Amino acid sequence: FEVDAHLMVSNPDTVYPWFVDAGADSVVVHLEACADAATTLSGIRKAGAKPGLAVKPATPVEGLIPHLDQIRMALVMTVEPGFGGQKFMADMMPKVEMLRRERDARGLDYWIQVDGGINRDTIGLAAKAGADAIVAGSAVFSAADPAAAARELSAKLS
């Protein structure tokens, strides 16, 4: 398995080394928090982890385009970061679709991840749009049987 650290912090250049040193295989930072995303991504790579870039709902996904050849993961937030249990924002799916088109057209190799509001009813929308990976918090950890909930979501993503 791999450890992926998604850093929702305002100072990613200061913080990412802690996670690489702790053994993270990949580190995802928010485009909005990077003073210079290319420098941050390069630093993560040089530190020994695979870099990723995330965007919040209000951020245009086009900001990721110059960096797609430098990342292992593009993460589209489908809720406003802050707390679990929020409603999935289906209007973020065009961002996922655009990332899939870019990846295919350019022959790139990055994962497209969706984070926020994923459950048995929304995972199909994310998968259809092109998500390869999902983050499911409340749908798993609030379930009576978390392991069964995780298996069900995994089967629907495949």
Side-chain angles (χ1 to χ4, degrees), residues 5-7 9 12 16 27-31 34 40-41 44 52-55:
H6 174 188
L7 307 183
V9 299
Y16 77 73
V27 176
V28 179
V29 296
H30 278 259
L31 178 65
C34 294
T40 302
L41 296 173
I44 293 168
L53 233 108
V55 290

Side-chain angles (χ1 to χ4, degrees), residues 78-135:
T78 49
V79 298
E80 285 297 333
F83 60 92
Q86 295 182 62
K87 187 176 184 308
F88 179 79
M89 299 170 77
D91 58 337
M92 296 297 110
M93 292 305 94
K95 291 181 178 185
V96 175
E97 293 165 352
M98 196 224 67
L99 289 167
R100 183 183 60 191
R101 283 191 307 273
E102 281 293 314
R103 182 179 62 192
D104 294 347
R106 294 169 57 185
L108 297 173
D109 183 27
Y110 56 84
W111 291 13
I112 302 168
Q113 186 176 74
V114 172
D115 182 352
I118 294 292
N119 59 41
R120 68 172 50 133
D121 299 322
T122 60
I123 193 167
L125 296 171
K128 183 179 178 192
D132 307 298
I134 54 97
V135 176

